[in-house]
Amino acid sequence: MIRGCALLLVLFGLFSCEQAQPVLPAPPAYTLVIHGGAGAIQKASMTAELDNQYREKLHEALDAGEAILKSGGTSLDAVVAAIRIMEDSPLFNAGKGAVFAHDGTNQMDASIMEGKTMRAGAVGGITQARNPILAARAVMEQSEHVLLTGKGADEFVLEIGLDTAGTDYFFTQRRWDSLQKVLKKNTPATSSDQKFGTVGAVALDEHGNLAAGTSTGGMTNKRWNRLGDSPLIGAGTYADNRACAISCTGHGEYFIRYAIAHELAARMRLLHVDLDATANSLLKDELFPAGGTGGLIALDKKGQVTMPFTTDGMYRGYTRPGERKVAIYDQEE
Ligand code: ASP
């Protein structure tokens, strides 16, 4: 009898062991990832003061987005809040601090996408909106279109009453000097010493929704009316709740041709591959050999983060409950 009971207990134990499922770590309540551009950013040519200024601004952008996510806000709001901080800073090539086109004007591009609804909005070659990311969001929410460019986009910005600024606001000596240097050397807008400097953010909120946004002045000495990848949904920006959210920075012409943001999302959705390995391989094994340099940030619904780049550095960082990282150079812990 006792032996019979023992046998039953052993069998029960085995049975219940077989029932046990592997314990997966729960996804974080929220995650926010940002970048402030990739490019020829070398530690040796950076002063301690400038290095500090960049890190402080990245933290400020993370703080702004995290405050929203922490209080149950949406990934879309967090992306906009983080990008606005960087647009308002002359340190980055977006909003104030945007680079100059060949004709000496600032022509800005931005885009935004919501992973739950697949809604998207973008602007290209706008000249007046203080915060181009707000213009992109307004196209998504207040128009029936996805992408507005040039004069029509500028008029839309005025019509809906967004904050605008004159050319003196967007002028920064540093970007002007860069244009003069490039003009003197007669190097094309695509030369490899570009510090791209575009800004972007991707976020996952506590409702499980992803969003992505990107904002830029484009490339120094670009031909007027040139559009890069940043305002193009699928090239520089993409968000799909079934896959991931992505924001790119780098030599836009290549990111357009390889539709990098959508390509990464499609591979994640259809092939169920690893986010980090796939993003790295896209940039390093496909884009780079073709001649395109740059970086991207991406985030999936499990809260997995990747921030690969093929340049010397990329201003970048992420934050979530109990974890924060900000970095600039390669191999930075
Ligand atoms: N991707 C942007 C463009 O080609 C530049 C950048 O990332 O800084 O316009």
Side-chain angles (χ1 to χ4, degrees):
M1 173 70 182
I2 292 177
R3 239 196 259 157
C5 281
L7 188 65
L8 268 178
L9 276 176
V10 168
L11 281 175
F12 179 73
L14 278 177
F15 185 71
S16 51
C17 272
E18 267 179 27
Q19 294 291 300
Q21 297 292 321
V23 184
L24 292 173
Y30 62 80
T31 303
L32 171 67
V33 194
I34 60 170
H35 72 79
I41 311 162
Q42 283 152 355
K43 199 166 189 177
S45 53
M46 184 84 102
T47 63
E49 199 193 335
L50 197 57
D51 181 297
N52 229 353
Q53 282 176 17
Y54 273 108
R55 286 175 201 271
E56 269 175 19
K57 206 38 94 175
L58 291 171
H59 277 294
E60 199 183 319
L62 288 172
D63 288 343
E66 184 163 37
I68 290 169
L69 294 170
K70 224 186 225 171
S71 55
T74 66
S75 50
L76 198 70
D77 283 339
V79 160
V80 170
I83 289 180
R84 279 184 76 169
I85 298 285
M86 294 185 280
E87 283 181 337
D88 290 343
S89 162
L91 290 173
F92 303 98
N93 170 20
K96 183 161 184 69
V99 298
F100 287 92
H102 182 76
D103 62 356
T105 61
N106 300 109
Q107 303 177 3
M108 295 162 288
D109 310 326
S111 62
I112 194 157
M113 186 162 183
E114 190 177 56
K116 181 185 172 191
T117 58
M118 308 289 278
R119 290 191 309 164
V123 285
I126 60 170
T127 60
Q128 297 170 335
R130 227 171 230 269
N131 292 104
I133 196 65
L134 292 183
R137 183 174 185 166
V139 171
M140 176 173 92
E141 293 178 335
Q142 300 179 48
S143 88
E144 66 215 20
H145 305 297
V146 168
L147 172 60
L148 293 180
T149 64
K151 205 161 162 269
D154 271 339
E155 271 170 24
F156 174 75
V157 163
L158 293 176
E159 239 174 71
I160 59 165
L162 284 183
D163 251 8
T164 55
T167 48
D168 50 339
Y169 170 77
F170 293 108
F171 180 91
T172 55
Q173 195 62 46
R174 178 178 168 218
R175 300 297 188 199
W176 184 253
D177 292 346
S178 299
L179 175 65
Q180 302 316 310
K181 210 168 119 195
V182 175
L183 286 175
K184 212 182 273 167
K185 279 204 285 184
N186 204 15
T187 36
T190 53
S191 80
S192 60
D193 58 2
Q194 284 264 0
K195 295 178 180 62
F196 297 113
T198 289
V199 307
V202 294
L204 169 69
D205 60 32
E206 67 171 36
H207 317 287
N209 293 321
L210 293 165
T214 310
S215 179
T216 188
M219 291 173 82
T220 304
N221 195 31
K222 67 183 178 184
R223 195 178 169 92
W224 55 97
N225 291 359
R226 171 263 190 192
L227 294 179
D229 58 316
S230 311
L232 301 185
I233 298 300
T237 303
Y238 206 70
D240 180 345
N241 267 9
R242 297 168 300 173
C244 54
I246 306 114
S247 170
C248 302
T249 171
H251 191 160
E253 278 70 9
Y254 289 87
F255 283 78
I256 295 172
R257 288 162 54 195
Y258 285 74
I260 289 293
H262 182 266
E263 181 71 24
L264 179 55
R267 290 190 195 184
M268 294 297 295
R269 177 165 58 88
L270 300 170
L271 305 174
H272 308 289
V273 281
D274 180 69
L275 180 73
D276 184 52
T278 311
N280 267 282
S281 165
L282 266 177
L283 289 186
K284 294 171 186 169
D285 305 331
E286 297 185 42
L287 210 65
F288 189 73
T293 55
L296 63 81
I297 53 171
L299 168 69
D300 69 11
K301 278 189 80 157
K302 288 182 265 174
Q304 298 196 88
V305 171
T306 185
M307 307 186 288
F309 51 94
T310 56
T311 46
D312 294 325
M314 179 167 84
Y315 302 108
R316 62 198 187 278
Y318 69 86
T319 194
R320 59 176 157 220
E323 206 182 334
R324 165 84 62 110
K325 179 177 172 143
V326 157
I328 300 178
Y329 318 104
D330 198 9
Q331 307 286 326
E332 211 180 308
E333 278 319 303

